[in-house]
Amino acid sequence: MPVSALLLPATAAGAALGILLADAGWLAAATALPLIFGSLGAGLLAGATRRLILGVLAAALLGVALGAWRGSGAALPSGPDSVAALVGPTEWRLAGTVIEEPRPRGERIQMVLDQVGVGRGDAPLQPARGRLLVWLPRSTQVVAGDQIQLHAELEPPQDFDGFAYRAYLARQGIGAIARAFQAEVVGHRLGFLPELAASLRRWLLDGLNATVPEPEAALGAGILLGVRSSISPEISDAFAAAGLTHVVAISGWNIAIVAALVAAALRPMQRRPGGRWLVPLLTVGAIAGYVVLTGSTPSVVRAALMAGAMLVARLGGSRAHAAGALLLAALVMLLAAPPVLWDVGFQLSLLATAGLIWFGAAVEARLQRLPAVLREPIALTLAAQLTTLPVILLNFERLSLVAPLANVVVVPLVPLVMLCCAVTAPIGATMATLHLPLLGDALTWLAGGSTWLYLHLMILAGKAAAALPFASVPLTAPAWLALAWYPMLAVAWLRRRPAPPEPDPMQALDLASPVAAARPMHPLLRRMLRPRGLLLLNTLLLGVISLASLPDGRLHLTMLDVGQGDAILVETPSGATLLVDGGPDPDLTLGRLGEALPFFQRRIDVMLLTHPHQDHVGGLVEVLRRYHVGLVLDSGRAFDNASYARFLELAGGRLRNARAGQQLALDKRTTLTILYPSQADADGPLPDEDINNASVVALLQCDAFSALLTGDAEAPVEARLADRGLLVPVDVLKVGHHGSNSSTSAPMLAAARPTIALISDGVDNDYGHPSPRTLAALADAGVRIRRTDLEGSVEVTSDGRSYEVVSRVARDPSRPVRALARAPGIAGSIGPWPYPDSITLARSLPASTCPRGSSSIRRASAASQPRPLGSCSRPASRSTSASSRSPPCCTTSTSFGRGRRVSRTASSARAG
């Protein structure tokens, strides 16, 4: 074997060894060992063998030196001037630059600060070496490149669930964690090209979010743009069990699809002089642009390098070229970012690509009896699993048994998903700014619907595969397995039968084409899967789904499963929508809305926030950004909560105070009557000084059906309603305050006499909700209890004369409704109303000139002071709304009083 064939592998292996030695602190002693043993071996041998060993030894020593140098430079800074030295009970004034897009994590966002400055009080900030991981409220508006200031104590990272989290962060130079309730953006620092790419990426993401519902939009954003933070855990777990994790994030496969699409578009150029080299160069340029667009994160750069290895193999035409390119890509990654050595994604990408190069053709040759449409994806999946098996078992301790079959179904959808997302995102962003009544609606329906359809099919396939018996089995393996597994693979490869003709390493792209997948199928099906036939089939399917999703003439009241919080979606017989509260987690709320509403429903006619606790307002912020919301009702009680401040800003001129006696006509058969608070209640002190007792209480009626929606109102509010004669027999009761013992009092139950009680709770929540005493009181009153923590989302459906309750666990038989003679409160039982008795909702609201609200994070600008609600002047602060279209202002048959001033706050919310 020539020395040149071993130089690159020896250098890459030496670099990895040098990084390991530097991380372990054994650099000086261990560097001498290869030199000593190599010299002894070379002295005992002669001739060509000696030259081979010396050449390989020299390359390995060079790799060790480079790896050790880069590894020592990437080590966690220490000493008195480091971030790690500031850990303790002292509160610091901190400043730094956000180096990547913040990642949402439930109710908070996570970001990494570089160029950290530290100080106390008004003293000048002093630079501190190292990086800082910061957690801020979800409503904080920060983007990559922002320079922010905050106050916080620093805490050390803690390991959890067997994961060495502290070492993981240390290898990224992160020495401490800060959890803050507020922050201030004092500047912005980002180069022209990264700023342009970030702005374009946000624009495309906003367009995708404005057109495609969740959870499909989050999956599409992960596949196209590498934004994985909002992908539902349910989908992530299902894809992991089905062996489809590579689909969720940008990998070499996604980069290869981009390369194939670009190459297909440039195919006519190949027949011209120099086209054989020009097309690959243009393709590489397109890949580079795509990498910059997706943020140039290490995972995307890694994917591009792996795809580049496949492109080199295609030009070179042999496995040797592919292996050399792969090793070069790995060496570049190791020297550019040494911590990538411990990155499981890097390990899996490297090994999977190696498996495709060396074993793909051999495995496929043994599956000749299978049809091509099955043989190719199964062979590629098995080849990748051969080389990644030890890493998967060591890190995830599970083995997917359905991965080959699941990939047969899902892999052909990936190019279609990427193409549809790439078309839908700019259409959605453009139509949000330039609304064309007919053409725009048709384009967003077709593009967004097609994207939703393929993503939905992908999710269904992943969940179905994960639900199969023994889809994945728990399986652990000792660390020495890798030491024995890979030598056995090498021996197996060396002893293999004569290799078949080497195929195009990019062959995986062909099986992703629906046309190629249909080659062994009926001619009519092949014709339907061509571009024109596929477009026609898309349109027909979307038309059928849209017709099936039209209003069915019944009322649908759904208690959404949003964890420890409240969110109720009401769909009237004519299709109008009412959303009451939004839960604490925006991603979860958006996902539940996407599951409950048709894919084309991007409008919420009325939004009601009962009170500003985080577990009710948190999800509404994102709903305001992604949906076209008509009227927004609020209790009007001030509360120190960053999410609530953001909610008020985004609501703008659509916001109205909900006051007792107001009656909202959702459609001809459905009304919402506000029972509490009156203006006197809103102006007076809070009962028990608890913001829960500011909750809006409303009665929903559809013909003779009725439901009492109580928010988190507790016993004092229930007593007021009973004293005022506003509690009448109802069919459904939304139990107050998640079933705590502070609500659902005996007098209220005696007056309301519900048949069904809905309780919204999180599984194993920390508050002990629902209270055993409340459950016992409901049971003693003969009330059937339905709970989201046990059943998931619970839906009540009524035709106005009867109703039934359905969840994934149980379905109650149809029950007759309790007929109400009149809506309570209209006769003036509390006294004269400061507002008109009836609000008629306009069915079609025109576009408004009121812009979306500014960021709730404090900005160093005088122009970002509080402004009156309804003002249409654009604030100085930047908006990162998911849609750049100005939201429609409320259009009602009556006008309200003056708008209130909103006090800006950046404090985090307390739990509900």
Side-chain angles (χ1 to χ4, degrees):
M1 180 178 293
V3 177
S4 58
L6 298 175
L7 292 182
L8 189 56
T11 306
L17 177 62
I19 294 171
L20 289 172
L21 296 176
D23 184 72
W26 298 343
L27 182 61
T31 302
L33 294 179
L35 181 62
I36 294 173
F37 287 105
S39 300
L40 291 175
L44 296 175
L45 299 172
T49 304
R50 181 175 182 178
R51 290 193 299 273
L52 175 64
I53 291 179
L54 289 177
V56 172
L57 178 62
L61 288 177
L62 176 62
V64 169
L66 292 174
W69 168 62
R70 293 294 298 141
S72 60
L76 176 69
S78 59
D81 60 342
S82 66
V83 170
L86 304 176
V87 171
T90 303
E91 182 174 279
W92 299 94
R93 182 163 61 95
L94 304 164
T97 302
V98 181
I99 61 174
E100 59 186 15
E101 291 294 336
R103 287 168 284 185
R105 295 288 188 270
E107 302 173 37
R108 305 182 72 80
I109 56 173
Q110 180 192 81
M111 65 196 71
V112 178
L113 298 187
D114 201 2
Q115 303 173 4
V116 178
V118 182
R120 293 183 184 176
D122 296 330
L125 297 178
Q126 300 298 322
R129 294 183 299 114
R131 292 175 173 176
L132 182 66
L133 183 68
V134 177
W135 291 89
L136 287 171
R138 178 69 177 264
S139 57
T140 306
Q141 300 298 294
V142 176
V143 298
D146 275 352
Q147 297 172 298
I148 66 173
Q149 288 188 358
L150 61 144
H151 292 79
E153 297 178 0
L154 301 188
E155 60 185 71
Q158 301 294 332
D159 297 342
F160 58 91
D161 296 335
F163 176 52
Y165 187 54
R166 186 166 189 168
Y168 169 77
L169 293 182
R171 292 183 179 113
Q172 301 176 56
I174 299 174
I177 297 175
R179 306 179 191 272
F181 299 108
Q182 64 178 6
E184 181 180 1
V185 175
V186 296
H188 187 76
R189 179 185 300 173
L190 202 63
F192 172 75
L193 186 59
E195 180 67 32
L196 179 63
S199 299
L200 180 58
R201 183 170 60 254
R202 286 192 292 268
W203 184 72
L204 292 173
L205 182 61
D206 290 348
L208 192 63
N209 289 336
T211 312
V212 182
E214 295 291 355
E216 290 79 12
L219 180 60
I223 294 174
L224 179 68
L225 300 173
V227 181
R228 297 180 293 164
S229 55
S230 297
I231 295 177
S232 166
E234 299 173 6
I235 295 176
S236 297
D237 294 343
F239 276 40
L244 299 171
T245 307
H246 62 93
V247 172
V248 177
I250 292 180
S251 62
W253 163 245
N254 303 77
I255 302 291
I257 291 174
V258 173
L261 293 175
V262 173
L266 299 177
R267 189 168 297 159
M269 296 181 59
Q270 290 181 331
R271 294 188 293 269
R272 298 183 179 181
R276 185 176 182 273
W277 294 100
L278 181 60
V279 169
L281 290 177
L282 293 176
T283 303
V284 170
I287 292 176
Y290 181 67
V291 169
V292 173
L293 173 65
T294 53
S296 302
T297 59
S299 61
V300 178
V301 173
R302 177 186 69 235
L305 290 174
M306 300 304 170
M310 304 301 284
L311 284 174
V312 170
R314 185 177 217 186
L315 290 175
S318 71
R319 293 189 185 91
H321 287 89
L326 180 64
L327 286 172
L328 181 61
L331 180 60
V332 171
M333 286 292 295
L334 290 172
L335 296 181
V340 79
L341 181 62
W342 289 270
D343 185 0
V344 177
F346 169 77
Q347 298 167 11
L348 292 177
S349 293
L350 179 66
L351 294 172
T353 307
L356 295 178
I357 292 173
W358 293 107
F359 296 102
V363 173
E364 185 176 352
R366 295 179 178 273
L367 301 176
Q368 289 298 324
R369 293 183 179 181
L370 293 178
V373 69
L374 298 177
R375 182 177 64 249
E376 292 175 345
I378 290 177
L380 294 174
T381 303
L382 292 176
Q385 283 191 333
L386 274 176
T387 50
T388 58
L389 183 62
V391 177
I392 291 175
L393 296 183
L394 288 173
N395 288 278
F396 307 111
E397 300 181 344
R398 296 194 70 86
L399 177 64
S400 175
L401 302 180
V402 299
L405 295 179
N407 278 274
V408 169
V409 178
V410 172
V411 163
L413 295 173
V414 177
L416 291 173
V417 165
M418 293 190 69
L419 182 60
C420 287
C421 288
V423 172
T424 300
I427 287 178
T430 302
M431 291 301 105
T433 305
L434 180 65
H435 182 61
L436 303 176
L438 294 179
L439 179 61
D441 292 341
L443 285 175
T444 53
W445 175 82
L446 180 58
S450 299
T451 303
W452 168 84
L453 179 62
Y454 293 124
L455 286 166
H456 192 65
L457 290 174
M458 186 179 290
I459 292 173
L460 289 178
K463 289 184 175 180
L468 292 175
F470 305 105
S472 66
V473 294
L475 185 63
T476 58
W480 55 262
L481 175 64
L483 300 178
W485 182 261
Y486 292 110
M488 287 192 301
L489 278 185
V491 172
W493 182 80
L494 292 173
R495 295 176 61 87
R496 74 193 188 285
R497 295 177 182 178
E502 294 187 1
D504 185 346
M506 300 288 282
Q507 65 173 325
L509 297 177
D510 294 333
L511 65 94
S513 168
V515 178
R519 283 170 188 160
M521 301 180 184
H522 192 274
L524 178 60
L525 182 57
R526 290 203 304 268
R527 181 174 298 180
M528 289 301 297
L529 290 181
R530 289 172 181 169
R532 292 182 182 177
L534 194 59
L535 181 60
L536 177 61
L537 184 61
N538 261 6
T539 306
L540 291 176
L541 282 175
L542 293 178
V544 171
I545 294 172
S546 299
L547 289 175
S549 303
L550 293 177
D552 59 1
R554 297 166 63 88
L555 176 79
H556 297 264
L557 184 154
T558 307
M559 173 74 77
L560 300 176
D561 179 17
V562 292
Q564 184 59 25
D566 266 10
I568 299 174
L569 176 66
V570 177
E571 300 169 84
T572 71
S574 65
T577 51
L578 162 69
L579 179 62
V580 182
D581 294 327
D585 186 345
D587 299 325
L588 187 55
T589 300
L590 291 171
R592 296 294 181 247
L593 282 178
E595 294 170 356
L597 292 173
F599 74 88
F600 54 83
Q601 176 66 279
R602 308 300 297 164
R603 178 177 180 79
I604 302 294
D605 293 294
V606 180
M607 176 183 288
L608 169 60
L609 173 63
T610 59
H611 69 294
H613 262 158
Q614 180 68 19
D615 60 335
H616 292 250
V617 71
L620 294 183
V621 174
E622 286 300 311
V623 176
L624 283 168
R625 294 180 62 211
R626 297 200 188 186
Y627 284 79
H628 303 293
V629 180
L631 176 66
V632 182
L633 297 175
D634 174 38
S635 66
R637 179 73 71 159
F639 186 66
D640 191 21
N641 181 351
S643 295
Y644 183 50
R646 181 66 173 156
F647 166 84
L648 295 176
E649 293 170 2
L650 290 176
R654 298 167 289 179
L655 186 65
R656 298 293 183 267
N657 288 336
R659 293 293 176 259
Q662 297 170 354
Q663 189 175 77
L664 188 67
L666 297 173
D667 65 10
K668 293 180 179 180
R669 298 170 53 191
T670 311
T671 59
L672 182 75
T673 304
I674 306 299
L675 305 181
Y676 182 89
S678 67
Q679 189 61 48
D681 296 323
D683 294 338
L686 277 172
D688 295 341
E689 298 183 352
D690 190 341
I691 193 64
N692 285 328
N693 289 322
S695 290
V696 175
V697 179
L699 180 69
L700 178 72
Q701 294 173 270
C702 178
D703 296 339
F705 171 83
S706 58
L708 183 62
L709 311 179
T710 61
D712 276 0
E714 299 181 339
V717 173
E718 296 172 355
R720 290 187 181 186
L721 293 173
D723 293 342
R724 296 168 182 173
L726 296 177
L727 293 178
V728 294
V730 296
D731 300 297
V732 175
L733 168 68
K734 203 295 294 185
V735 176
H737 200 192
H738 318 290
S740 73
N741 56 17
S742 61
S743 62
T744 321
S745 59
M748 193 273 289
L749 281 178
R753 290 187 291 150
T755 306
I756 299 293
L758 302 180
I759 302 178
S760 182
D761 282 307
V763 178
D764 299 328
N765 64 84
D766 296 332
Y767 306 97
H769 294 160
S771 166
R773 189 171 73 181
T774 300
L775 295 177
L778 290 169
D780 292 342
V783 182
R784 176 87 159 91
I785 302 171
R786 309 300 295 269
R787 298 165 50 177
T788 59
D789 59 334
L790 301 180
E791 305 182 56
S793 296
V794 180
E795 181 182 10
V796 181
T797 306
S798 174
D799 59 2
R801 299 180 300 275
S802 63
Y803 69 96
E804 59 183 9
V805 186
V806 181
S807 73
R808 57 178 170 82
V809 174
R811 183 187 193 101
D812 285 357
S814 180
R815 303 169 183 263
V817 303
R818 299 176 185 270
L820 286 177
R822 63 178 179 85
I826 299 304
S829 60
I830 306 180
W833 305 115
Y835 298 106
D837 291 339
S838 177
I839 307 170
T840 303
L841 178 66
R843 291 301 305 127
S844 178
L845 301 183
S848 166
T849 56
C850 296
R852 294 187 183 271
S854 62
S855 167
S856 64
I857 189 171
R858 292 190 293 114
R859 300 263 169 180
S861 170
S864 60
Q865 297 303 312
R867 58 188 178 92
L869 287 176
S871 169
C872 293
S873 59
R874 184 173 296 276
S877 300
R878 168 174 65 246
S879 171
T880 56
S881 167
S883 172
S884 57
R885 180 191 302 178
S886 299
C889 289
C890 171
T891 302
T892 63
S893 63
T894 60
S895 61
F896 285 80
R898 295 180 181 177
R900 298 172 289 109
R901 279 191 175 269
V902 183
S903 297
R904 186 182 304 266
T905 177
S907 171
S908 69
R910 296 187 304 226

